[in-house]
Amino acid sequence: MAQEPNNNFSFSPLKLQRIPHLTDYLPITDSKTFTNPLNQNRFFRPTDGFYIAHSDIVLRQIVYDLSGTFSVPSSDVAYLRAGPRQQIYFDPHNTRVAIVTCGGLCPGLNTVIRELVVGLWELYGVRQIYGIQAGYRGFYSGEPIQLNPKMVHGLHKRGGTVLETSRGGFDLNKIVDSIQSKGFNQVYIIGGDGTMRGAVKIFDEIRSRKLNVGVVGIPKTVDNDVGIIDRSFGFQTAVEMAQQAISAAHVEAESAVNGIGLVKLMGRSTGHIALHATLSSRDVDCCLIPEVKFYLEGKGGLFEFLENRLQENGHAVLVVAEGAGQDLIPRTDAQKEQRDESGNLVFLDVGSWLKSELNKWWTRDHPDELFTVKYIDPTYMIRAVPANATDNLYCTLLAHSAIHGAMAGYTGFVTGPVNGNYAYIPLEEVAQAKNEVNTRDHKWAWVRSVTNQPDFVKS
């Protein structure tokens, strides 16, 4: 008789975030367990501590103030530690897997696909692995393609996604009907916050139908705006590529009279790429992110700052995240309501708008002086490149952590690093969480000290 993993306990004053398990809603007779095939894998030698126990946890908060009377806040939470379990809940010979990628491109997508396929095949002996093409709509609009290690061998060296992707196309009943009719019992969903919200609905519907199907989310966002986890895959590659754009803008700016190099980087709601690229390059004079409002005219404004910098150095480099300054750009009534297929408000091009405003300002205030703005938008170049070495390794660990959790019968979860340790996090919690730049911490103060930019607070 299968024993339900006990992950309901809490370490007072810590609260363990419970991860759903197939045994929560399936009849006990349908929950037969199997010995993990890693025991017989010639590449592994399981020893004490190799398998993760249901009592192994990862703390969400690890930094405390020890001044005065020390006590751990009762609101602190913990997550199950990711990794292989001694008993699994799927017979690898009868396991049928679906993998889907949704949303925009991100460095590392192909690596995650490759490592899911290779991990399922080599670690657990799963042979029925399928890719769903064109995002969520692919579940019901086409036939899945069968995958094996030979087919995905070199994917980690390629950008994009071999499965193709799209936004929108989410029809819950059609998707779950397809999962049920095609006999899938593990579904790996790779995508951003909108995709994760869709995954929550898929999991809830699967649970309500009492299907023996594990649902796993692998968060993907180049912007690094997924909450709880340390970072999202592709982010470090994006920062590395962004530095190249900043370097080019710097060369262009210092090679012109009163030259400004303007670089627009990804970051709809968060400015992590712009912030990290600024700190890494040290060529940036001003970094504009969505979390900090700015203004153009008047004392303490952007124009005043840039004029002083041009007088001092003869050039300046300006980095702006795509979501910054959206409240300043005039919108028509139609643009105020315009949304993409994922339901997100369509952002206007802050880079082009800022270039135009800079030229208007200089022509108005310095009509007889030379002035040049070189605008660089590397967005699609960054999204489409292969993952670097660090992100490739990260994608491998993500994929393997996801596989171990799914094979152990966990469902409705996301895997990712929390304080450097891989954990299983409730899917719904990740779908709702945000990771905005904390403008009160030392990192943003470091940006201010590196650039000497204004705080844009009107007196």
Side-chain angles (χ1 to χ4, degrees):
M1 181 178 292
Q3 295 293 319
E4 178 183 352
N6 177 16
N7 61 354
N8 249 337
F9 54 84
S10 62
F11 295 92
S12 182
L14 296 175
K15 179 182 178 183
L16 179 64
Q17 299 298 87
R18 193 179 191 285
I19 304 300
H21 196 274
L22 292 171
T23 53
D24 294 344
Y25 60 87
L26 290 179
I28 201 71
T29 54
D30 292 347
S31 302
K32 181 181 178 182
T33 60
F34 304 86
T35 300
N36 196 315
L38 290 176
N39 280 348
Q40 286 76 46
N41 191 306
R42 63 192 181 95
F43 298 110
F44 289 87
R45 295 290 183 270
T47 57
D48 290 343
F50 176 82
Y51 290 113
I52 305 300
H54 301 303
S55 56
D56 286 346
I57 64 170
V58 176
L59 300 181
R60 181 167 178 179
Q61 181 174 330
I62 59 173
V63 178
Y64 297 98
D65 181 1
L66 294 178
S67 63
T69 303
F70 171 66
S71 62
V72 180
S74 59
S75 60
D76 271 12
V77 298
Y79 302 104
L80 285 180
R81 186 180 166 203
R85 267 57 177 174
Q86 195 155 12
Q87 297 295 312
I88 61 175
Y89 282 74
F90 286 102
D91 179 359
H93 299 97
N94 297 321
T95 299
R96 191 173 171 89
V97 172
I99 302 170
V100 65
T101 57
C102 305
L105 295 184
C106 175
L109 272 172
N110 272 332
T111 306
V112 173
I113 295 168
R114 178 191 187 277
E115 297 308 320
L116 284 173
V117 173
V118 174
L120 285 160
W121 190 287
E122 300 291 353
L123 299 180
Y124 285 92
V126 176
R127 295 295 182 264
Q128 300 179 73
I129 309 171
Y130 294 85
I132 306 300
Q133 294 182 291
Y136 275 139
R137 58 174 44 87
F139 277 104
Y140 54 84
S141 65
E143 290 300 311
I145 58 172
Q146 192 155 12
L147 303 172
N148 60 55
K150 186 174 182 180
M151 290 177 61
V152 301
H153 175 67
L155 283 189
H156 61 296
K157 301 175 183 178
R158 293 167 51 185
T161 166
V162 70
L163 296 181
E164 303 175 348
T165 186
S166 70
R167 298 186 187 276
F170 186 83
D171 188 313
L172 179 60
N173 287 325
K174 286 183 179 180
I175 291 171
V176 179
D177 286 346
S178 174
I179 291 171
Q180 188 172 3
S181 66
K182 290 181 170 62
F184 293 126
N185 45 28
Q186 287 185 13
V187 180
Y188 296 87
I189 301 172
I190 310 166
D193 54 355
T195 301
M196 293 300 108
R197 289 192 292 271
V200 171
K201 295 177 181 178
I202 292 172
F203 163 67
D204 287 340
E205 180 64 18
I206 284 174
R207 180 168 53 180
S208 70
R209 296 189 191 186
K210 293 186 171 14
L211 303 180
N212 187 25
V213 180
V215 178
V216 184
I218 300 179
K220 172 232 61 164
T221 166
V222 73
D223 297 346
N224 198 36
D225 59 0
V226 173
I228 303 174
I229 62 173
D230 294 348
R231 71 177 192 279
S232 52
F233 72 82
F235 172 67
Q236 291 194 335
T237 304
V239 172
E240 188 175 298
M241 293 298 296
Q243 284 187 74
Q244 297 181 25
I246 292 172
S247 178
H250 182 245
V251 170
E252 289 283 356
E254 68 177 355
S255 299
V257 177
N258 293 320
I260 289 183
L262 173 60
V263 181
K264 185 184 78 172
L265 297 175
M266 289 166 290
R268 285 183 56 86
S269 58
T270 63
H272 292 289
I273 293 178
L275 182 153
H276 283 79
T278 294
L279 290 177
S280 301
S281 73
R282 300 302 182 90
D283 287 330
V284 179
D285 294 280
C286 187
C287 175
L288 304 175
I289 60 176
E291 292 87 348
V292 177
K293 291 185 178 296
F294 67 94
Y295 58 96
L296 303 180
E297 304 276 1
K299 187 172 179 58
L302 180 64
F303 290 162
E304 180 189 66
F305 170 76
L306 289 177
E307 181 160 15
N308 291 335
R309 190 53 57 95
L310 290 174
Q311 289 176 355
E312 293 171 4
N313 299 333
H315 67 276
V317 175
L318 179 60
V319 168
V320 58
E322 62 181 315
Q326 290 295 317
D327 58 323
L328 300 177
I329 309 175
R331 285 178 179 266
T332 64
D333 290 339
Q335 289 173 330
K336 291 177 183 178
E337 303 298 327
Q338 191 176 4
R339 296 185 178 274
D340 62 22
E341 288 184 302
S342 298
N344 300 314
L345 179 69
V346 173
F347 279 8
L348 300 181
D349 187 348
V350 66
S352 296
W353 170 79
L354 201 49
K355 177 183 177 181
S356 175
E357 293 301 309
L358 287 167
N359 280 314
K360 289 178 185 177
W361 156 64
W362 194 265
T363 300
R364 181 194 69 200
D365 291 2
H366 306 277
D368 299 323
E369 296 183 42
L370 292 174
F371 182 70
T372 303
V373 180
K374 296 296 186 182
Y375 174 41
I376 298 175
D377 179 358
T379 298
Y380 292 102
M381 291 178 60
I382 292 175
R383 287 176 12 143
V385 300
N388 65 12
T390 302
D391 273 326
N392 266 332
L393 173 59
Y394 178 30
C395 290
T396 300
L397 297 175
L398 273 181
H400 286 197
S401 295
I403 293 168
H404 293 316
M407 294 302 295
Y410 293 112
T411 182
F413 72 91
V414 160
T415 185
V418 177
N419 294 318
N421 295 282
Y422 285 78
Y424 296 142
I425 309 160
L427 186 55
E428 187 171 9
E429 189 175 340
V430 172
Q432 296 173 350
K434 292 292 183 183
N435 178 33
E436 296 181 342
V437 171
N438 182 1
T439 57
R440 299 181 181 180
D441 73 358
H442 296 160
K443 192 175 292 183
W444 182 247
W446 188 11
V447 169
R448 294 280 315 283
S449 69
V450 167
T451 61
N452 294 314
Q453 68 188 64
D455 58 13
F456 297 111
V457 175
K458 291 184 178 180
S459 56

